[in-house]
Amino acid sequence: MKKAISFLFVKLCFVMILMGQDVDVKWGQLNKGGSHYDSNILGENEDGVYTAVYNKGWFVEAYSKKEFKKNYSVSIKAPKVGKYKSEIEKINFFSDKFIVFYSTYDKKTKNYELFANTIDAKSGKSLNNQKSLIKLVVENKSRKGSFDVSISEDNSKILIDHSAYYKKQKKTKRKYFLMDDQLAILFKKEIDADDFLPSNYIIDNDGSIYYLGTSKGNVHIGSFDANRDYEQWKEKLDFSDQAKGVILFSGMYMNINAKNDLTITGYVSKPHYKTKKNGKKKQKGTKLAGTFYTRIDNESKEIVASKLSY
């Protein structure tokens, strides 16, 4: 991505949009990227803004809020774990540190193992505190699946999700591991994912897990409630009383509002038909039809607002 990016300019643009006030812009250092440059802002603290950059390899970078310049850019290599090569799965930022998640696969034992190492955000130096987090037995390398990482808003909880298809059992298994910011496991759960395929997750500051997905054209919402010993709840979102026909959902987004209620928004599409010469209609894909909104009470888990607009 050939761009010249000033992180401070981008940050202050957001401030102007959100606050609706005039701001004196002080330009930061210009950062030039090559054809393989891809930068993602991971987080910030009182000292700076922190990013993960892919530029023919992974880097973590820090930008000073006081001096308006880049403090460092540190290359992140996937380390060897014993005799095994590793692959970087994800890089996250937590208040005062980066955590690099990386994995190995043992062909002999079929163990797929996830590790973590911490990088000090102030100095950019590795703390060399490699820790094994999760070890799973999978069928083979091509069906080992993958790990995904989500973080609560206050950086106190980490959700690691693993999904893989097991051909011999003819099913997809999904495993959740909830951890604190010291990477200690607080809760773990395995679910059968064949009939329910979550597409995104939210963790609140208490450690409750909310997940969202679709199955057979229907939207499903579920949770593991930290305040109820991680009791599972799951429900289909039903718009049949508002829908005028078959609808499909996409672009779904979850959020927790100021009242700690869960809100879900997204797009709805409907089948698009083309009339043939003989007068018969044949479906030719779908077309965007409108949007939907749902709000779920955090305590009762009841749907308190539901609107389909199309």
Side-chain angles (χ1 to χ4, degrees):
M1 186 170 59
K2 288 188 175 180
K3 284 186 178 181
I5 301 172
S6 170
F7 92 94
L8 185 61
F9 172 73
V10 174
K11 183 176 176 60
L12 289 180
C13 280
F14 276 112
V15 172
M16 287 187 284
I17 292 170
L18 295 174
M19 301 301 293
Q21 299 177 356
D22 293 332
V23 178
D24 292 330
V25 177
K26 184 173 182 180
W27 288 84
Q29 189 181 52
L30 200 62
N31 301 299
K32 296 182 179 180
S35 59
H36 298 283
Y37 189 90
D38 187 12
S39 177
N40 297 292
I41 296 176
L42 299 182
E44 64 177 317
N45 58 24
E46 61 182 8
D47 296 321
V49 176
Y50 303 88
T51 68
V53 175
Y54 190 84
N55 187 14
K56 299 181 180 179
W58 282 107
F59 295 79
V60 292
E61 298 183 340
Y63 297 84
S64 171
K65 288 183 176 179
K66 296 178 181 178
E67 299 177 3
F68 304 100
K69 68 176 185 179
K70 184 190 293 185
N71 287 341
Y72 60 76
S73 180
V74 177
S75 175
I76 304 298
K77 304 291 185 183
K80 287 194 73 172
V81 181
K83 62 181 180 179
Y84 303 106
K85 293 182 179 180
S86 69
E87 296 180 357
I88 293 177
E89 297 275 353
K90 199 158 186 181
I91 303 172
N92 292 90
F93 178 77
F94 299 82
S95 301
D96 60 353
K97 61 192 174 188
F98 295 96
I99 298 183
V100 181
F101 296 92
Y102 50 96
S103 64
T104 61
Y105 176 73
D106 185 334
K107 185 177 180 180
K108 185 177 180 180
T109 63
K110 298 182 180 179
N111 283 331
Y112 183 32
E113 191 167 3
L114 183 69
F115 297 84
N117 184 47
T118 304
I119 296 173
D120 178 61
K122 189 173 183 178
S123 65
K125 294 181 179 180
S126 173
L127 300 182
N128 295 317
N129 56 354
Q130 177 177 285
K131 181 177 182 179
S132 173
L133 303 179
I134 300 166
K135 183 186 290 187
L136 302 172
V137 177
V138 295
E139 285 192 341
N140 55 44
K141 188 174 183 179
S142 64
R143 290 195 297 274
K144 64 182 175 64
S146 61
F147 291 102
D148 195 18
V149 182
S150 302
I151 308 166
S152 64
E153 185 176 357
D154 67 353
N155 292 325
S156 67
K157 305 294 187 303
I158 303 165
L159 177 65
I160 297 176
D161 160 53
H162 175 263
S163 178
Y165 180 70
Y166 290 78
K167 187 176 181 180
K168 293 179 180 179
Q169 301 177 41
K170 297 182 179 180
K171 65 170 57 177
T172 300
K173 294 182 180 180
R174 187 175 294 272
K175 298 179 177 69
Y176 298 98
F177 300 86
L178 181 69
M179 301 181 179
D180 62 21
D181 59 354
Q182 301 302 311
L183 301 177
I185 294 178
L186 304 174
F187 166 75
K188 57 184 177 180
K189 179 74 173 180
E190 178 180 320
I191 64 171
D192 187 339
D194 282 333
D195 297 322
F196 181 75
L197 300 175
S199 58
N200 56 34
Y201 312 86
I202 285 181
I203 318 166
D204 66 20
N205 296 339
D206 293 331
S208 293
I209 304 165
Y210 303 90
Y211 54 92
L212 180 66
T214 59
S215 176
K216 299 176 182 178
N218 296 310
V219 178
H220 293 256
I221 178 67
S223 70
F224 294 103
D225 195 331
N227 298 310
R228 298 178 181 175
D229 196 26
Y230 291 99
E231 177 183 74
Q232 186 177 12
W233 165 82
K234 183 172 71 174
E235 185 172 325
K236 180 177 77 172
L237 299 183
D238 188 2
F239 293 96
S240 58
D241 60 333
Q242 302 179 52
K244 300 175 184 177
V246 178
I247 57 174
L248 303 171
F249 301 92
S250 63
M252 294 179 290
Y253 176 75
M254 286 194 300
N255 189 38
I256 298 173
N257 66 16
K259 295 182 179 180
N260 212 31
D261 291 342
L262 184 68
T263 63
I264 308 165
T265 57
Y267 301 107
V268 293
S269 300
K270 60 182 181 181
H272 175 62
Y273 294 94
K274 185 176 181 180
T275 303
K276 301 172 69 175
K277 291 182 179 180
N278 60 9
K280 294 183 179 181
K281 291 185 177 181
K282 183 178 180 180
Q283 185 174 341
K284 300 289 287 186
T286 61
K287 65 178 181 179
L288 186 66
T291 61
F292 74 90
Y293 167 83
T294 298
R295 180 164 63 88
I296 299 172
D297 182 84
N298 180 57
E299 291 294 329
S300 66
K301 297 295 187 292
E302 292 182 357
I303 297 174
V304 293
S306 181
K307 179 66 176 177
L308 181 64
S309 301
Y310 79 112

